[in-house]
Amino acid sequence: MTTAGWLIMFLSVGSVTLLFAWCLFQIIFGSRDRRLHGIDDIDTHGD
């Protein structure tokens, strides 16, 4: 494989690995205030 091929492969694999690590970090150490709410938390009566 050529030098350009190796460079593109390392950039691609590295960026996907960094994205995966960032997502795991956000899941494990992320803010607890940004949790999704269930359907029971939504007021649909318009009162």
Side-chain angles (χ1 to χ4, degrees):
M1 199 159 51
T2 65
T3 305
W6 282 104
L7 181 64
I8 291 172
M9 183 182 72
F10 282 128
L11 285 174
S12 298
V13 171
S15 62
V16 170
T17 303
L18 283 175
L19 178 64
F20 177 70
W22 180 79
C23 289
L24 281 180
F25 183 82
Q26 291 297 315
I27 290 170
I28 295 171
F29 299 110
S31 175
R32 303 287 182 214
D33 297 336
R34 294 186 289 158
R35 294 201 182 264
L36 294 176
H37 296 278
I39 193 70
D40 295 335
D41 295 338
I42 300 171
D43 181 22
T44 57
H45 298 294
D47 293 309

